[in-house]
Amino acid sequence: MGAMISAGMTHFNAWWIAVFPGLAIVTVALAFNLLGDGLRDLFDPKMKRSVQRRVK
C-alpha cells in the first residue's frame, strides 16, 4: 500500500490514487490498536478490578 501511495503522489490530478490506500493504512492501524487494547483488557489480571472480601 505504501508503494501505491508513492505512485499516487506523482499524479496530483488523480487524488484518489493516494488517498484510498492511505485511508486503508490508517484503518488497519486503528483496528490493530483497538484489538490490542481489547485483548489487554481481557487478559491482563492487573487491570481487572476485583472485589476483595474481608474474612472475619
Side-chain angles (χ1 to χ4, degrees):
M1 282 190 261
M4 291 173 67
I5 293 173
S6 178
M9 293 302 291
T10 60
H11 305 288
F12 286 113
N13 56 351
W15 57 270
W16 59 88
I17 295 174
V19 170
F20 291 125
L23 289 175
I25 290 172
V26 168
T27 304
V28 168
L30 181 64
F32 274 117
N33 281 320
L34 292 176
L35 178 68
D37 286 343
L39 289 175
R40 184 196 60 220
D41 291 344
L42 185 64
F43 291 118
D44 190 8
K46 293 179 184 176
M47 296 287 293
K48 291 183 180 179
R49 292 185 182 181
S50 62
V51 177
Q52 297 177 359
R53 296 181 184 176
R54 291 187 178 186
V55 179
K56 293 184 179 179

